[in-house]
């Protein structure tokens, strides 16, 4: 749960700075947020969470 909240905060921060630097438009940000929201409700959310956990655990072992 802690990893999920941290990743949401990280991605939110990156999205904020991309919008602020005008690298990413509002339409693209809305599309990305909508895609993430709907992706979380599919069967792909389990493997994505497992992959993120594995990567974070691997980084901790370095």
């Amino acid at each position: 749960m802690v990893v999920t909240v941290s990743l949401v905060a990280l991605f939110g921060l990156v999205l904020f700075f991309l919008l602020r630097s005008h690298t990413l438009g509002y339409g693209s940000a809305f599309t990305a947020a909508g895609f993430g929201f709907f992706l979380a409700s599919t069967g792909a959310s389990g493997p994505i969470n497992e992959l993120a956990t594995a990567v974070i655990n691997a980084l901790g072992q370095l």
Side-chain angles (χ1 to χ4, degrees):
M1 183 64 168
V2 174
V3 172
T4 304
V5 173
S6 299
L7 287 176
V8 167
L10 175 68
F11 287 132
L13 190 63
V14 169
L15 184 59
F16 171 76
F17 282 115
L18 285 174
L19 282 171
R20 187 157 182 189
S21 68
H22 301 290
T23 306
L24 183 68
Y26 289 108
S28 299
F30 180 75
T31 303
F35 175 72
F37 177 77
F38 288 114
L39 182 64
S41 65
T42 65
S45 65
I48 291 171
N49 285 332
E50 291 172 6
L51 176 65
T53 304
V55 169
I56 290 169
N57 289 335
L59 290 175
Q61 300 296 324
L62 292 178

